[in-house]
Amino acid sequence: MRRLPNLTVTFSVLGLAFFSTGIAYLLYFYLKKNVGPTRIVSVTLLVPIFGMIF
């Protein structure tokens, strides 16, 4: 029989997910305003490459 994780674990995971996503959105819109869409696309295309390296 499976047990659900306790509330501390659940809220910790949800908090990390929402906090990280919120920071990413703020950074994205900051970069979009200051650097332009072309550089944002180049950063987006580099993420999988660095993901494979690290």
Side-chain angles (χ1 to χ4, degrees), residues 1 3-4 8 10-11 14 17 20 22 29 33 36 42 44 49:
M1 177 189 249
R3 290 184 356 173
L4 294 175
T8 305
T10 303
F11 287 132
L14 289 175
S20 300
F29 287 116
K33 178 181 174 185
S42 64
T44 304
I49 294 169

Side-chain angles (χ1 to χ4, degrees), residues 28-49:
Y28 173 77
F29 287 116
Y30 172 79
L31 287 173
K32 185 176 177 185
K33 178 181 174 185
N34 293 325
V35 220
T38 306
R39 291 238 174 147
I40 291 175
V41 169
S42 64
V43 170
T44 304
L45 294 175
L46 290 175
V47 169
I49 294 169

Side-chain angles (χ1 to χ4, degrees), residues 5-34:
N6 61 15
L7 287 178
T8 305
V9 172
T10 303
F11 287 132
S12 296
V13 170
L14 289 175
L16 284 172
F18 287 124
F19 181 71
S20 300
T21 303
I23 295 294
Y25 271 111
L26 290 175
L27 183 61
Y28 173 77
F29 287 116
Y30 172 79
L31 287 173
K32 185 176 177 185
K33 178 181 174 185
N34 293 325

